[in-house]
Amino acid sequence: MHELSVCIALMQQVERIAQEHDAGRVDRIVLQLGPLSGVEAPLLEHAWPLACTGTLAEAAELLIEAAPVKVECTQCGAVSEVVPNRLLCASCGDFRTRLLSGDEMLLASLELSRMKTQAVQQQCV
Amino acid sequence: MCDTCGCNITPGNEHLVRGDGRLAKTDEGREAVTVLQSLLSENDHQAAHNRTHFDSHGVFAVNLMSSPGAGKTALLEATIESLGDAYRIAVIEGDLETENDAERIRACGVEAIQIATGSACHLDAHMVHTALHQLDLDPVDILFIENVGNLVCPASFDLGQHRNITLLSVPEGDDKPAKYPVMFRAADLVLLTKTDLLPYLSDFRPERAERCLRELASESPLLSLSSASGEAMEDWLTWLRTEVAAQRERIRQGATLRPAIQPDGMRLHSAAPATHAHAHGVVNATGGEG
Ligand SMILES: Nc1nc2c(ncn2[C@@H]2O[C@H](COP(=O)(O)OP(=O)(O)OP(=O)(O)O)[C@@H](O)[C@H]2O)c(=O)[nH]1
Ligand SMILES: [Mg+2]
Ligand SMILES: [Zn+2]
Ligand SMILES: [Zn+2]
């Protein structure tokens, strides 16, 4: 299971970006995962709490957007939405296609706040 | 990541960069930051630097992947026996535990570094980098990196290799490419191994394995061989000789090569900001989309 490795790498990336933006807290993390990325969304969600505990993103919402598998035919030019193990042109049937989307493994965006965690905020009031 | 050329914009993520733009404020004073970076960008960075190491030492680096026991080490033993005099070969062995595979390679008179990955079911670029520091790359022509036996995880981690080879052994069944599309799509070459067993496993049809591979939109060659009987090794050895020659030519031209199908991260890395333009080399046209 490499999803934990991916989660830890993601966490490091998120913390670095949060620091660059002087954020005190990460509220939301949006990922894009295609079925051909080799990373499974449910496994990633499962591993996430292990990686985020004690970090700026401890309370962040993790949103995983699925990306469709789309190919463009290099022979007839048609664009088809296909299943991950049959990347054939739906129009002419040729196997010589180019993947347009479906292998994404991206940190798409973050939502950051200046404030520290809720607990710290309550102490200040 | 790339701000200008749009190389990392796919129909799936387009909406994030169009519309309200890269930096949009949400309510409650939160800041929304568009990132669009590979989840493995750290690994991909290290992999790019490993590749630079290989190129600067004139090494051709190959990543061997397969399910456990498909015959990776046996292939290396047979290959060393055939080409060990013509080329200087070195091997990095990745296994969860044991030095067994490295010892088998050393018994063939070739230097081998064993990486025990512990609980990690794949090699990553950092592990390979650490192993590289125990190896004198200068005299090496071909570096084989034998990945952990696993048809899933290794496909996601670029190590800095120039080529990916995926082995499919006859006892595993001919539909493996359809079951593990990520792994077989990553292969620049698929080797059908243990063909001496075909007479005993008559339901394995090599043409069906090839059809499953083509259905992944892969144009990569599929070669058959048996390391045990030594049959049909010649096509594989020719492939290897041709690749070593091509790598030497690329180095002469200051170019490099990445596996034909790259994980998302590599596509992004090629458009990394100028501060990272160091040491990543020029990318040869043949290294692009396959
Ligand atoms: N019949 C036959 N057996 C083979 C062949 N190649 C390898 N084997 C056998 O298959 C078993 C596994 O081979 P290895 O070379 O250790 O496989 P591997 O892929 O390196 O295994 P891991 O590193 O553990 O994933 C051994 O018992 C080999 O003798 C072959 O061409 N024909
Ligand atoms: Mg082995
Ligand atoms: Zn078509
Ligand atoms: Zn760099």
Side-chain angles (χ1 to χ4, degrees):
Chain A
M1 226 78 66
H2 58 302
E3 276 75 6
L4 183 57
S5 313
V6 175
C7 262
I8 291 167
L10 165 66
M11 202 52 247
Q12 290 167 342
Q13 216 169 339
V14 167
E15 288 214 296
R16 186 174 43 73
I17 295 166
Q19 274 160 17
E20 279 167 18
H21 287 260
D22 275 329
R25 192 177 77 202
V26 181
D27 296 304
R28 180 185 248 219
I29 301 171
V30 183
L31 308 184
Q32 280 220 336
L33 280 189
L36 285 169
S37 68
V39 178
E40 293 295 324
L43 296 178
L44 199 66
E45 280 165 341
H46 194 73
W48 175 246
L50 294 172
C52 73
T53 307
T55 71
L56 291 178
E58 184 153 24
E61 175 193 6
L62 181 68
L63 203 80
I64 302 182
E65 297 182 347
V69 183
K70 281 190 191 163
V71 295
E72 182 181 44
C73 181
T74 60
Q75 306 303 301
C76 79
V79 173
S80 345
E81 195 166 327
V82 293
V83 295
N85 62 3
R86 271 181 78 84
L87 307 179
L88 306 178
C89 174
S91 176
C92 76
D94 205 282
F95 80 96
R96 286 162 291 180
T97 62
R98 198 168 64 84
L99 196 72
L100 292 180
S101 105
D103 65 346
E104 293 86 348
M105 194 197 323
L106 294 176
L107 169 56
S109 65
L110 292 178
E111 250 175 64
L112 308 168
S113 297
R114 300 243 172 261
M115 307 164 278
K116 295 282 176 203
T117 59
Q118 292 294 335
V120 175
Q121 208 187 335
Q122 275 160 12
Q123 279 169 14
C124 298
V125 170
Chain B
M1 70 181 161
C2 177
D3 295 348
T4 49
C5 80
C7 61
N8 51 3
I9 299 173
T10 71
N13 64 32
E14 223 173 346
H15 62 285
L16 292 165
V17 274
R18 312 258 182 259
D20 50 7
R22 293 182 47 78
L23 267 178
K25 294 277 178 208
T26 60
D27 32 340
E28 308 160 38
R30 288 182 186 177
E31 191 183 0
V33 184
T34 303
V35 185
L36 288 180
Q37 232 174 42
S38 165
L39 297 187
L40 293 174
S41 54
E42 273 302 314
N43 181 77
D44 296 339
H45 247 106
Q46 181 64 61
H49 289 276
N50 291 354
R51 193 169 285 113
T52 307
H53 270 299
F54 300 141
D55 292 336
S56 64
H57 289 90
V59 174
F60 173 55
V62 183
N63 178 27
L64 288 178
M65 299 182 284
S66 80
S67 57
K72 299 179 294 298
T73 310
L75 173 73
L76 291 178
E77 290 167 324
T79 304
I80 290 164
E81 190 176 322
S82 300
L83 293 185
D85 293 334
Y87 299 99
R88 288 288 296 269
I89 296 172
V91 178
I92 293 177
E93 286 286 350
D95 282 292
L96 298 180
E97 293 294 345
T98 82
E99 285 261 335
N100 296 354
D101 284 3
E103 278 161 13
R104 281 168 63 186
I105 298 299
R106 287 178 200 132
C108 305
V110 157
E111 190 170 6
I113 309 293
Q114 180 77 50
I115 303 177
T117 60
S119 61
C121 45
H122 58 271
L123 289 176
D124 67 30
H126 295 94
M127 298 179 204
V128 169
H129 189 252
T130 307
L132 288 182
H133 282 257
Q134 303 170 49
L135 252 179
D136 178 12
L137 283 180
D138 264 332
V140 174
D141 299 310
I142 308 173
L143 176 70
F144 289 106
I145 305 170
E146 181 183 332
N147 220 309
V148 180
N150 176 344
L151 275 182
V152 182
C153 310
S156 297
F157 295 83
D158 186 11
L159 309 176
Q161 73 278 17
H162 301 104
R163 291 294 194 190
N164 281 330
I165 300 179
T166 303
L167 281 65
L168 167 59
S169 66
V170 165
E172 292 173 68
D174 53 23
D175 61 350
K176 279 291 169 295
K179 289 182 175 168
Y180 297 90
V182 179
M183 173 59 73
F184 283 91
R185 233 172 62 81
D188 296 294
L189 169 68
V190 175
L191 288 179
L192 186 58
T193 60
K194 309 193 187 180
T195 52
D196 57 294
L197 298 178
L198 278 172
Y200 310 99
L201 296 157
S202 52
D203 61 340
F204 188 105
R205 305 253 289 282
E207 62 281 7
R208 201 150 54 197
E210 173 142 21
R211 178 153 43 80
C212 289
L213 179 66
R214 298 299 162 234
E215 287 179 354
L216 304 178
S218 169
E219 297 186 56
S220 299
L222 182 141
L223 304 176
S224 304
L225 57 82
S226 164
S227 310
S229 73
E231 76 193 30
M233 291 290 287
E234 202 41 50
D235 285 349
W236 150 245
L237 297 175
T238 301
W239 182 92
L240 204 50
R241 288 189 197 99
T242 309
E243 287 291 331
V244 172
Q247 168 68 354
R248 286 178 179 159
E249 183 55 31
R250 278 191 298 272
I251 288 167
R252 240 195 313 281
Q253 299 183 357
T256 190
L257 177 79
R258 304 179 305 232
I261 305 269
Q262 306 137 37
D264 220 29
M266 278 317 295
R267 221 155 56 202
L268 304 189
H269 195 89
S270 62
T275 48
H276 280 128
H278 62 275
H280 291 162
V282 182
V283 176
N284 189 305
T286 55
E289 248 47 63

